[in-house]
Amino acid sequence: EQYINFSADVVLPKIDPNYDGKPIRFYFEARVDRDSRSGEISLSDGTVTLKKDVEPPGGFWGVFNAGGILAQFRYCGEFLMKPC
């Protein structure tokens, strides 16, 4: 199986409790299907993750500014794709 990774910046609607006016980057990993006769490819399903910054540790390591370096990817869910 082959997969493709891509990301999208999304601005949440103002009614969303997580709205802060800034775009949030969602990361997608989608399974690629290829038609053996035509060579056409399509994306069928996959997972969505979200990158969240992690606060740097205190103490000696707090001397360094690690802002934006420490992050973790959190699983958000799965998606299905349908042809247009």
Side-chain angles (χ1 to χ4, degrees):
E1 292 184 347
Q2 291 183 334
Y3 289 83
I4 185 171
N5 295 311
F6 60 95
S7 63
D9 292 333
V10 176
V11 176
L12 298 173
K14 291 181 180 181
I15 61 170
D16 191 291
N18 296 310
Y19 175 80
D20 67 358
K22 298 177 187 175
I24 299 173
R25 180 160 292 173
F26 287 90
Y27 296 86
F28 299 87
E29 182 177 76
R31 184 166 50 96
V32 177
D33 292 328
R34 181 184 299 266
D35 185 297
S36 59
R37 281 198 343 237
S38 68
E40 182 179 288
I41 64 168
S42 61
L43 306 179
S44 47
D45 59 20
T47 58
V48 181
T49 56
L50 182 64
K51 183 173 138 182
K52 289 282 193 180
D53 289 336
V54 176
E55 291 297 319
F60 173 76
W61 296 107
V63 172
F64 303 104
N65 181 2
I69 295 174
L70 300 175
Q72 65 180 197
F73 288 88
R74 296 184 180 175
Y75 173 82
C76 293
E78 297 177 357
F79 64 91
L80 298 173
M81 300 184 83
K82 296 179 182 178
C84 295

